[in-house]
Amino acid sequence: MKIKDFGEFNIIEYISNTLSKDKVQTSLSNSLDIQIGVGDDTAAWQTQPGLQLATTDTMVDQIHFILNTSNLIDIGWKSIATNLSDIASMGGTPTTALITLGLPGEMKITDLKSLYHGIIECASTYNTKIIGGDIVKSPILFITVAVYGVCQNPTMQRSLLKENDLIGITGFTGLSKAGLELSKPKNELKNLTPNNSQMFYNAHFRPKPKIKEGKILKEIGAICAMDISDGLFSDLNKMLTASQIGAVINQSSVPIHPEISKVFPNSDFEMATNGGEDYEILFGISSNKLDKVKSLLPESHIIGKACSGEAGVIELIADDKTYKLNRFNGWDHFRQ
Amino acid sequence: MKIKDFGEFNIIEYISNTLSKDKVQTSLSNSLDIQIGVGDDTAAWQTQPGLQLATTDTMVDQIHFILNTSNLIDIGWKSIATNLSDIASMGGTPTTALITLGLPGEMKITDLKSLYHGIIECASTYNTKIIGGDIVKSPILFITVAVYGVCQNPTMQRSLLKENDLIGITGFTGLSKAGLELSKPKNELKNLTPNNSQMFYNAHFRPKPKIKEGKILKEIGAICAMDISDGLFSDLNKMLTASQIGAVINQSSVPIHPEISKVFPNSDFEMATNGGEDYEILFGISSNKLDKVKSLLPESHIIGKACSGEAGVIELIADDKTYKLNRFNGWDHFRQ
């Protein structure tokens, strides 16, 4: 059956029923003090003194995924996960979400169910309550998610990097790009194994928002962080520009996952620094907190240091030379 | 110039600059205690004990408007206004908004600027601060807006209609449908004047969310309300279904705007009851509060009464007969 045969009210009823059957979704109503969930003109929840966080991200067919060749459960998962990553990068705790679906009349109901399955799976995994949204007809499928969270004041911010702060990342970058490469039919890759294939696939299609790591960073005393969505160097450039500061990065300090080097030996550094959709956290921290970072975030890596150079400029030291990297268009979707 | 030549970063810079030049947008930062606005991974604002409201609505090219023939300033206005109407129907005060734009590469920058002009104009008119959003490339233009608001506990809700409550609307319905009819080139209409044309046009393309009226209703003591977006009878059916109650409506009590009767004499009742996109508030209220409704909401009309009939059923009394109206698909966009 197709969306156009099923009708708006049946879709809303399906979603409401599915949400009410999910144990985590149901249990969150009380713990989050939800007054009004799905079904009225607005959602409503009780607030306490503190900071409310809000973010939104969108995925569009033909731009961010291909409907006919994608696993819709994965698309659903990722549509929430990218938003949760934004909350994580502030050191916050996600609480609630609004889900907007733009649905083509020709879309199969089974695909809609898979999509929503992935949405609920990710939301429930990270204790995020779906409280409402919108369903509209659209010539192409799109998913817009808005996620809310809470945080004790102050949040971490991308604009607060200070001179001599160490610059770190919570884990390897480049794995998502490797997963994307795998999904392209043209590639004949050496050294692929079931294990590294799965790892690459999961990094791209099932990203895990670093909520725990964001909270640890905030507790340790980090004040500067952002999530890596456009690529490590592109996002570092944004952090440096926002903080009006420069940075020195040693090429040898940028961690390259050994499996990426095995499968993509000629582009491993490029993938790690310019891959995108990593959803690791990029952070700055005082050097006197390095021991805590090492013990509490053992998978993190320090890649360089903020310096009083030209604002926004990355001085990359490689092969005893210094390269000044001063502009990264990264993932500028609009330019052709 | 087109979107694809302008690039994502220039778009974001244009939006940030435009927001920072708008006096209302700037002044709201302090009064709403915004900690982080446009530019970081999430927005953040300080909360106090109370209720946080959240709603979202989407407009899609070819479904809700036609890009090539629309006034983009109006589309921008309406994309916010429909959300504000949801906040109004709870008795809330809007505070902040996230704006997501799905932009085709071929769209003109002048159209984007018109769209954003309308968005800011409406947001600023109703003291709503734009705090972030997302910009994505898309094969078709769409606008998803999420609006937040605050409210003292409890909100009005659509499910709280009680037996013998009077059922009212805050103003005439059908004017928006008249505006939509006007925009269709095929129509040759009699009795059109510049004044009624403008009124019909504004009702459809420049709806005014009934925020003041929603607050008055809540202060008077109404506990049941929703906004009329799908059509008066369709939305009344939803209110009755949510409240598990019936209603008796006298045809003669449903107000028909005299200008609609002049221009559309054969379909005026149909337009008033099934037009859609009215963005008036439908409410239920105890009869002992009727005097307050009349004095504080002089443009409102009482159209009937809740009764212990079959849940969801409207008993329409017309020409000394009673018609049982028990199902309204209203604006079901998906069925063909």
Side-chain angles (χ1 to χ4, degrees):
Chain A
M1 187 181 274
K2 292 178 176 174
I3 294 285
K4 66 179 178 186
D5 305 313
F6 201 56
E8 184 177 4
F9 298 124
N10 285 328
I11 295 171
I12 293 171
E13 197 179 352
Y14 163 75
I15 289 174
S16 300
N17 286 342
T18 309
L19 285 171
S20 67
K21 282 177 198 159
D22 185 273
K23 282 182 188 169
V24 178
Q25 289 294 317
T26 311
S27 71
L28 286 168
S29 289
N30 290 330
S31 63
L32 294 174
D33 215 348
I34 309 289
Q35 304 282 306
I36 303 171
V38 173
D40 214 312
D41 288 290
T42 81
W45 62 89
Q46 197 74 40
T47 49
Q48 302 302 329
L51 274 184
Q52 181 79 56
L53 307 180
T55 186
T56 185
D57 263 312
T58 291
M59 294 178 73
V60 182
D61 181 21
Q62 307 299 320
I63 308 294
H64 304 95
F65 62 93
I66 307 293
L67 172 58
N68 292 335
T69 61
S70 295
N71 178 331
L72 272 288
I73 299 179
D74 290 345
I75 301 299
W77 173 284
K78 195 167 175 176
S79 70
I80 299 271
T82 57
N83 281 281
L84 296 176
S85 178
D86 286 323
I87 301 286
S89 72
M90 311 299 275
T93 304
T95 52
T96 55
L98 296 174
I99 313 292
T100 295
L101 302 178
L103 300 174
E106 294 296 321
M107 184 176 169
K108 292 180 210 153
I109 294 296
T110 52
D111 280 347
L112 172 67
K113 290 184 177 179
S114 296
L115 181 70
Y116 223 84
H117 176 84
I119 288 171
I120 291 183
E121 189 185 354
C122 185
S124 291
T125 299
Y126 296 97
N127 292 318
T128 303
K129 168 85 179 165
I130 296 168
I131 47 164
D134 195 15
I135 308 279
V136 295
K137 190 174 175 180
S138 165
I140 47 123
L141 174 64
F142 68 86
I143 308 121
T144 299
V145 175
V147 169
Y148 312 100
V150 291
C151 188
Q152 287 306 306
N153 213 344
T155 64
M156 298 188 287
Q157 293 179 44
R158 65 175 64 181
S159 58
L160 299 179
L161 193 69
K162 303 267 182 294
E163 193 178 343
N164 294 322
D165 277 356
L166 300 176
I167 296 169
I169 51 181
T170 47
F172 286 106
T173 53
L175 292 162
S176 171
K177 176 71 172 174
L180 181 63
E181 289 300 315
L182 242 64
S183 70
K184 296 177 182 170
K186 63 177 168 52
N187 281 316
E188 288 180 24
L189 299 167
K190 291 179 185 171
N191 298 322
L192 263 186
T193 65
N195 279 348
N196 64 26
S197 295
Q198 189 66 48
M199 179 176 65
F200 297 156
Y201 181 94
N202 286 347
H204 188 72
F205 293 100
R206 287 264 174 166
K208 291 183 179 170
K210 298 297 180 292
I211 294 165
K212 190 185 68 184
E213 290 80 355
K215 286 186 190 175
I216 290 172
L217 280 168
K218 189 172 184 308
E219 278 165 24
I220 289 174
I223 59 169
C224 176
M226 68 185 286
D227 79 330
I228 306 172
S229 54
D230 289 350
L232 174 56
F233 278 180
S234 175
D235 286 325
L236 176 55
N237 168 254
K238 285 179 193 161
M239 179 182 276
L240 297 175
T241 305
S243 300
Q244 287 292 295
I245 203 164
V248 178
I249 306 291
N250 272 296
Q251 182 183 26
S252 59
S253 303
V254 177
I256 312 286
H257 196 288
E259 295 298 325
I260 297 185
S261 296
K262 269 190 210 166
V263 182
F264 304 94
N266 299 322
S267 53
D268 53 357
F269 186 73
E270 167 67 15
M271 289 170 98
T273 56
N274 202 24
E277 300 204 287
D278 299 296
Y279 303 113
E280 296 291 339
I281 298 176
L282 174 67
F283 60 91
I285 196 147
S286 308
S287 55
N288 61 10
K289 285 163 182 157
L290 181 58
D291 286 348
K292 282 192 176 173
V293 172
K294 282 185 176 172
S295 65
L296 295 172
L297 294 168
E299 293 180 17
S300 67
H301 303 267
I302 300 300
I303 62 169
K305 197 174 183 178
C307 67
S308 61
E310 196 181 337
V313 171
I314 300 170
E315 294 182 29
L316 179 68
I317 300 173
D319 306 325
D320 293 331
K321 290 180 188 164
T322 300
Y323 301 88
K324 285 199 172 188
L325 311 180
N326 59 7
R327 182 83 197 270
F328 302 93
N329 273 320
W331 272 38
D332 191 333
H333 290 290
F334 293 100
R335 286 188 192 275
Q336 286 182 337
Chain B
M1 186 182 274
K2 292 177 176 176
I3 294 286
K4 66 179 179 186
D5 305 314
F6 201 57
E8 184 177 4
F9 297 124
N10 284 329
I11 295 171
I12 292 171
E13 197 178 351
Y14 162 74
I15 290 174
S16 300
N17 286 343
T18 308
L19 285 172
S20 68
K21 282 178 197 158
D22 186 273
K23 283 182 187 169
V24 177
Q25 289 294 317
T26 311
S27 70
L28 286 169
S29 290
N30 290 330
S31 62
L32 294 174
D33 215 347
I34 308 290
Q35 304 282 306
I36 303 171
V38 174
D40 213 313
D41 288 290
T42 81
W45 62 88
Q46 197 74 40
T47 49
Q48 302 303 327
L51 274 183
Q52 181 79 55
L53 308 179
T55 186
T56 186
D57 263 313
T58 291
M59 294 177 73
V60 182
D61 181 21
Q62 307 300 319
I63 308 294
H64 304 94
F65 62 92
I66 307 293
L67 173 57
N68 292 335
T69 61
S70 294
N71 178 331
L72 272 288
I73 299 179
D74 289 345
I75 301 299
W77 173 284
K78 195 166 174 176
S79 70
I80 299 271
T82 56
N83 281 279
L84 296 176
S85 179
D86 286 323
I87 300 286
S89 72
M90 312 298 276
T93 304
T95 52
T96 55
L98 296 174
I99 312 292
T100 295
L101 301 178
L103 300 174
E106 294 296 322
M107 184 177 168
K108 291 180 210 152
I109 293 297
T110 50
D111 280 347
L112 171 67
K113 291 185 177 179
S114 296
L115 181 70
Y116 222 84
H117 176 82
I119 288 171
I120 292 183
E121 189 185 355
C122 185
S124 291
T125 299
Y126 296 97
N127 293 316
T128 302
K129 167 87 178 165
I130 296 167
I131 47 164
D134 195 15
I135 308 280
V136 295
K137 191 174 175 180
S138 166
I140 47 125
L141 174 64
F142 67 87
I143 308 122
T144 299
V145 175
V147 169
Y148 312 101
V150 291
C151 189
Q152 287 306 306
N153 214 343
T155 64
M156 298 188 287
Q157 293 180 41
R158 65 174 64 181
S159 58
L160 299 179
L161 193 68
K162 303 267 182 295
E163 193 178 342
N164 294 322
D165 277 357
L166 300 176
I167 296 169
I169 50 181
T170 48
F172 286 106
T173 53
L175 293 162
S176 171
K177 177 70 172 175
L180 181 64
E181 289 300 315
L182 242 65
S183 70
K184 295 178 183 170
K186 65 176 166 55
N187 281 315
E188 288 180 24
L189 300 167
K190 291 178 184 170
N191 299 322
L192 262 186
T193 65
N195 279 348
N196 65 26
S197 296
Q198 189 66 48
M199 179 177 65
F200 296 156
Y201 181 94
N202 286 346
H204 188 71
F205 293 101
R206 288 264 174 166
K208 290 183 180 170
K210 298 297 181 291
I211 294 165
K212 190 184 69 184
E213 290 80 355
K215 287 186 189 174
I216 290 173
L217 280 168
K218 189 172 183 310
E219 277 165 24
I220 289 174
I223 59 169
C224 176
M226 67 184 286
D227 79 330
I228 306 171
S229 54
D230 289 350
L232 174 56
F233 278 179
S234 175
D235 286 325
L236 176 55
N237 168 253
K238 286 180 193 160
M239 179 182 276
L240 297 175
T241 305
S243 301
Q244 287 293 294
I245 203 164
V248 177
I249 306 291
N250 272 296
Q251 183 184 27
S252 59
S253 303
V254 177
I256 312 287
H257 196 288
E259 295 298 324
I260 296 184
S261 296
K262 270 190 209 165
V263 181
F264 303 94
N266 299 321
S267 52
D268 54 357
F269 185 74
E270 167 67 16
M271 288 169 98
T273 56
N274 202 25
E277 300 205 285
D278 300 295
Y279 303 113
E280 296 291 338
I281 299 177
L282 174 67
F283 61 91
I285 196 148
S286 307
S287 55
N288 61 9
K289 285 163 182 156
L290 181 58
D291 287 347
K292 280 192 176 172
V293 172
K294 282 185 176 172
S295 65
L296 295 171
L297 293 169
E299 293 179 17
S300 67
H301 303 266
I302 300 299
I303 61 168
K305 198 174 183 179
C307 67
S308 62
E310 197 181 335
V313 171
I314 300 170
E315 294 183 27
L316 179 68
I317 300 174
D319 306 325
D320 293 331
K321 289 180 190 165
T322 299
Y323 301 88
K324 285 199 171 188
L325 311 179
N326 58 6
R327 180 84 195 271
F328 302 93
N329 273 320
W331 272 39
D332 190 333
H333 291 289
F334 293 100
R335 285 188 193 275
Q336 286 182 338

